Amino acid sequence: MAKSIMVQGTMSNAGKSLLAAGLCRIFKQDGYRVAPFKSQNMALNSFITREGLEMGRAQVMQAEAAGIEPSVLMNPILLKPTNDTGSQVIVNGEVLSTMSARDYFKYKKQLVPDIMKAYHALEEQADIIVLEGAGSPAEINLKNDDIVNMGMAKMANAPVLLVGDIDRGGVFASVYGSLMLLRPHERERIKGILINKFRGDIRLFESGITMLEELCGIPVVGVVPYYRDIYIEEEDSVALAAKSVRAEKGKVNIAVILLRHLSNFTDFNVLERDPRVHLFYTNNVDELAKADVILLPGSKSTLDDLYELRRNGVAAAIIRAHREGATVMGICGGYQMMGQEVLDPEHVEGDIERLPGLGLLPISTRMSGEKVTRQVKFGLCSPHSPSSTLHSSLMQGYEIHMGVTTPVEGTPDSPLNLLENGSTDGYCVDSTCMGTYIHGILDNPEFIDFLLAPFADKLSGNAGAFDYHTFKEEQYDRLAEHVRRHVNLPLIYQILTKNHD
């Protein structure tokens, strides 16, 4: 049977996902078959596997760190919030239903067999499984029905490393307080404490390590400094607003519209690293006027976000920017918003039945309850012959959407992409106005070259296409080196071995 170790945090955003990814990479480097696992994830960032199943992006990132193909076995339950009190519940990669938080809380214990079936299947493929918790294990009002923190640790018989975020302050109180709120048998599962995001001279914290170990009776297995100059995919969109910075000279300035229900913002990670591009997230109309390219991202609530864009003046600013020469491109929900109208007569998303779109593309979208989830291979359509492509090499991406988009009556079809199976995707008026359902389209260097082609005058002297895959591999290695240097790895291996003897 595979050995297991679980990373839990004293709070949300303590750095569990990155530390789990770092351990995955370290174990891989040390010659083990390793796989990540998170029984239940809540996120609007998702990915579609080769089989057409949907899973959280954090476990995709960790699978990449482990050097294996992402599988829905790594994340059997995904919750995609639809509003402040409800989520779409995805089990084993497929939509089960949309539930209120109250209804899901009553139902979730019925999902334990699905969780354990996935976990046991993963055990057969790995030597080590690195589990990740969610939020905090010390939410005492939620503990009886827990399936993702101590409840999952018990089911997997996994030792736990408890992560405290020292950067946010109060790390002694958060670690000790979390332990004291656990039941004795739960506390026994915690075999090590990890202090994360340390800034400054670690030698000044040596007395703190001793105090914490004496107070808790548990060894501190590492103090990991803040991750400077290591770029790993983020799961949470909380940090996006901080990337709302001004346009820069000498680069192609690309603005991503900061939607309230923005999903799959990882579509734009590659542009953050491309030396030819300055990327920023904004819903400020003055900043949009400075953008060369405006990207409308995916949305979990297309109609709600479209309504807000029209209300706050951003819709008018996008239309004005395009009229003045900016390229506008929509992905998934953003593509739907660029059309003439979005219809929802069956109330798939909510109470709004129809809204006019931005009118930049001659298309109409009708929401439907059927969800499209598939990986695709595609090429750019030739504008003069939509049944052929501009490039011989196929690009890759994936679709996750609800809704059918068609050209408005009397408008010729002008697809952006030709799929490997002969079907088409998206709509392209010209190289400055287009939309697509394909997530991950920007991970293809050929497509970024196509997007940036109208700005060749700005790109003189800049490097060519950015190799995102190589960059990510380098970052996982740097993460592993960083974590390896600052944790007691022999003790972690000892915890792994002793727990499974």
Side-chain angles (χ1 to χ4, degrees):
M1 299 295 287
K3 293 179 171 62
S4 61
I5 192 163
M6 190 170 196
V7 180
Q8 297 184 17
T10 60
M11 64 185 79
S12 295
N13 205 32
K16 299 183 297 292
S17 295
L18 278 188
L19 285 170
L23 289 175
C24 283
R25 192 62 157 200
I26 287 170
F27 295 146
K28 173 187 180 294
Q29 290 172 339
D30 289 354
Y32 295 97
R33 297 177 305 158
V34 58
F37 183 85
K38 187 168 184 174
S39 58
Q40 173 192 289
N41 199 352
M42 177 177 279
L44 287 178
N45 262 0
S46 61
F47 174 80
I48 301 301
T49 68
R50 186 197 301 265
E51 300 82 11
L53 302 173
E54 191 170 4
M55 63 181 289
R57 290 278 324 188
Q59 281 61 64
V60 173
M61 176 269 289
Q62 291 162 355
E64 290 177 346
I68 59 176
E69 183 176 356
S71 165
V72 76
L73 296 174
M74 302 166 186
N75 175 214
I77 303 171
L78 175 63
L79 305 178
K80 299 187 78 172
T82 54
N83 53 46
D84 291 340
T85 59
S87 295
Q88 186 180 74
V89 180
I90 298 166
V91 179
N92 297 319
E94 298 181 324
V95 176
L96 175 67
S97 68
T98 298
M99 297 186 190
S100 67
R102 183 184 180 90
D103 288 342
Y104 177 72
F105 189 77
K106 294 177 181 177
Y107 179 81
K108 65 179 182 178
K109 289 289 272 189
Q110 298 180 45
L111 296 173
V112 168
D114 292 283
I115 291 170
M116 293 313 297
K117 184 178 180 181
Y119 184 79
H120 289 320
L122 208 57
E123 277 189 307
E124 296 178 2
Q125 304 171 16
D127 301 315
I128 299 174
I129 297 178
V130 179
L131 295 89
E132 180 187 347
S136 164
E139 305 293 350
I140 55 177
N141 58 317
L142 304 176
K143 282 160 60 67
N144 287 340
D145 295 301
D146 174 57
I147 60 173
V148 67
N149 285 308
M150 282 301 171
M152 186 64 231
K154 180 180 179 181
M155 289 188 281
N157 190 27
V160 176
L161 303 179
L162 183 65
V163 180
D165 180 355
I166 197 170
D167 190 48
R168 290 154 85 175
V171 73
F172 292 96
S174 64
V175 170
Y176 183 72
S178 296
L179 288 168
M180 290 304 103
L181 288 172
L182 296 176
R183 300 180 181 116
H185 70 274
E186 294 172 330
R187 201 175 306 138
E188 288 174 3
R189 288 205 170 272
I190 297 183
K191 303 301 183 182
I193 296 166
L194 255 174
I195 305 302
N196 198 28
K197 304 181 188 177
F198 188 90
R199 297 178 191 262
D201 189 340
I202 292 182
R203 291 173 297 181
L204 299 178
F205 191 66
E206 288 176 357
S207 60
I209 293 173
T210 302
M211 292 176 184
L212 200 56
E213 290 181 332
E214 291 176 350
L215 189 64
C216 300
I218 299 169
V220 173
V221 299
V223 179
V224 181
Y226 204 88
Y227 303 87
R228 291 183 178 86
D229 301 321
I230 298 175
Y231 301 98
I232 305 292
E233 183 177 291
E234 298 174 83
E235 182 179 39
D236 218 325
S237 61
V238 173
L240 295 187
K243 297 173 183 175
S244 295
V245 293
R246 295 178 180 177
E248 290 186 6
K249 293 182 179 180
K251 293 188 176 184
V252 178
N253 288 284
I254 300 182
V256 179
I257 302 299
L258 200 55
L259 301 175
R260 182 182 176 193
H261 301 98
L262 190 156
S263 65
N264 283 72
F265 62 85
T266 47
D267 282 339
F268 313 109
N269 280 2
V270 60
L271 294 176
E272 290 188 30
R273 307 270 73 88
D274 194 312
R276 301 169 294 178
V277 166
H278 171 64
L279 185 81
F280 58 101
Y281 294 80
T282 187
N283 52 16
N284 181 293
V285 296
D286 294 327
E287 289 182 2
L288 285 176
K290 301 169 185 174
D292 301 304
V293 179
I294 297 174
L295 298 176
L296 273 158
S299 167
K300 191 67 186 73
S301 298
T302 300
L303 285 150
D304 281 351
D305 280 338
L306 177 56
Y307 177 84
E308 182 64 15
L309 292 185
R310 301 186 70 86
R311 186 199 66 78
N312 63 17
V314 171
I318 294 170
I319 295 168
R320 183 166 58 251
H322 179 61
R323 189 167 58 240
E324 294 175 358
T327 292
V328 179
M329 175 181 165
I331 298 177
C332 201
Y335 166 46
Q336 295 171 339
M337 294 180 203
M338 287 181 66
Q340 302 298 315
E341 61 180 359
V342 181
L343 307 170
D344 190 11
E346 299 173 16
H347 301 277
V348 172
E349 285 198 348
D351 296 332
I352 304 174
E353 292 193 354
R354 180 192 179 276
L355 276 179
L358 303 188
L360 295 174
L361 297 175
I363 56 171
S364 172
T365 296
R366 184 185 183 94
M367 292 298 177
S368 67
E370 184 177 351
K371 190 172 190 177
V372 176
T373 58
R374 59 178 180 173
Q375 287 191 1
V376 293
K377 293 184 178 181
F378 64 95
L380 282 167
C381 280
S382 168
H384 307 295
S385 176
S387 61
S388 62
T389 62
L390 289 173
H391 302 286
S392 56
S393 59
L394 288 175
M395 296 179 276
Q396 298 186 56
Y398 55 98
E399 295 182 36
I400 317 170
H401 64 91
M402 301 174 82
V404 177
T405 300
T406 55
V408 297
E409 188 175 351
T411 301
D413 197 8
S414 180
L416 176 64
N417 300 306
L418 178 66
L419 275 56
E420 186 181 34
N421 65 7
S423 62
T424 58
D425 159 75
Y427 200 97
C428 181
V429 173
D430 55 38
S431 61
T432 69
C433 188
M434 66 194 103
T436 176
Y437 270 122
I438 300 176
H439 292 287
I441 191 169
L442 295 169
D443 290 347
N444 298 280
E446 301 93 332
F447 190 86
I448 294 184
D449 287 345
F450 167 75
L451 182 67
L452 300 183
F455 308 98
D457 57 325
K458 281 196 166 192
L459 300 178
S460 57
N462 279 327
F466 179 65
D467 188 341
Y468 191 43
H469 173 75
T470 298
F471 174 82
K472 287 200 291 184
E473 286 296 303
E474 292 170 350
Q475 299 307 304
Y476 291 132
D477 285 339
R478 293 182 65 186
L479 174 64
E481 180 186 1
H482 183 72
V483 174
R484 191 188 287 270
R485 189 186 312 130
H486 296 287
V487 302
N488 186 339
L489 197 58
L491 179 54
I492 290 176
Y493 272 118
Q494 184 180 329
I495 289 168
L496 258 174
T497 305
K498 184 177 293 186
N499 192 74
H500 295 87
D501 282 344

